[in-house]
Amino acid sequence: MLGSSWTEVLVNEVIPWVGTECARFGDSRKEIRERLGSFSSFRRSPGESLIDHYSSIGLMLHFDEADRLDFIEATAASGLSFSGVQLLARPFGEVLADLRSRSVDFSLDGSGCVLDGYGIELYTPAPDELDIDVEGVALKSPVKSRGSSGASEISVDPPTGEDTLF
């Protein structure tokens, strides 16, 4: 098992369409469990696959039918950043201003915003109130579809769309 300081260093920076250093899309559940150590699992609703929750590093990891990582949710404990911008536990307006200053395009929506072309979504409970902190980040995989064999088709261009986690 790895020390917490090691995981903290590797969790921080978002790699668009890849994940984070410690949890990359396509990694197996088994590999990630061995790498990250202590976790708990839960189902959001009956019939859905287990979500592994690594509370000490603020990550909830979702896996596909082949037990490969395909979606990441992060809380403030993760300390996620992108393009040098701390994404969580800061006022939404400050995060947006910092992203804008680094020429990162985003689209506002009813739960926060989507960073255009990066597979990153920010959640705040009150997107109209810019002084309320960002509470969650969702990272999307570039995987478009899966066949019954569990094989994946990776899109050449990152997917677009309006569906959000929050």
Side-chain angles (χ1 to χ4, degrees):
M1 187 144 81
L2 305 169
S4 63
S5 61
W6 182 87
T7 26
E8 288 170 14
V9 170
L10 294 181
V11 168
N12 290 4
E13 188 68 16
V14 173
I15 306 165
W17 307 113
V18 173
T20 68
E21 281 297 320
C22 71
R24 292 174 178 251
F25 298 122
D27 285 354
S28 75
R29 184 185 303 263
K30 182 179 186 244
E31 291 170 326
I32 292 174
R33 285 178 172 178
E34 289 172 357
R35 185 180 313 132
L36 298 183
S38 182
F39 66 93
S40 61
S41 294
F42 67 95
R43 293 182 202 279
R44 283 231 163 89
S45 60
E48 287 190 10
S49 66
L50 284 174
I51 297 168
D52 288 353
H53 184 202
Y54 295 85
S55 60
S56 65
I57 58 171
L59 295 179
M60 287 177 276
L61 306 180
H62 300 245
F63 297 83
D64 64 14
E65 311 83 35
D67 247 5
R68 298 284 178 184
L69 182 63
D70 69 353
F71 192 76
I72 299 171
E73 293 177 84
T75 63
S78 70
L80 280 187
S81 63
F82 175 65
S83 193
V85 175
Q86 183 69 31
L87 298 175
L88 291 147
R90 296 182 52 220
F92 187 48
E94 287 180 18
V95 173
L96 295 180
D98 287 350
L99 290 169
R100 193 175 288 119
S101 75
R102 287 169 174 78
S103 300
V104 175
D105 292 329
F106 55 83
S107 302
L108 298 175
D109 63 21
S111 61
C113 74
V114 175
L115 278 56
D116 300 329
Y118 297 102
I120 303 169
E121 299 176 4
L122 306 182
Y123 167 75
T124 179
D128 294 334
E129 298 178 37
L130 298 179
D131 60 331
I132 302 295
D133 284 357
V134 175
E135 292 184 0
V137 172
L139 306 179
K140 292 181 172 184
S141 163
V143 176
K144 275 190 151 182
S145 63
R146 290 175 174 75
S148 58
S149 67
S152 300
E153 289 181 26
I154 306 294
S155 63
V156 175
D157 297 316
T160 58
E162 295 300 316
D163 51 317
T164 62
L165 166 69
F166 307 104

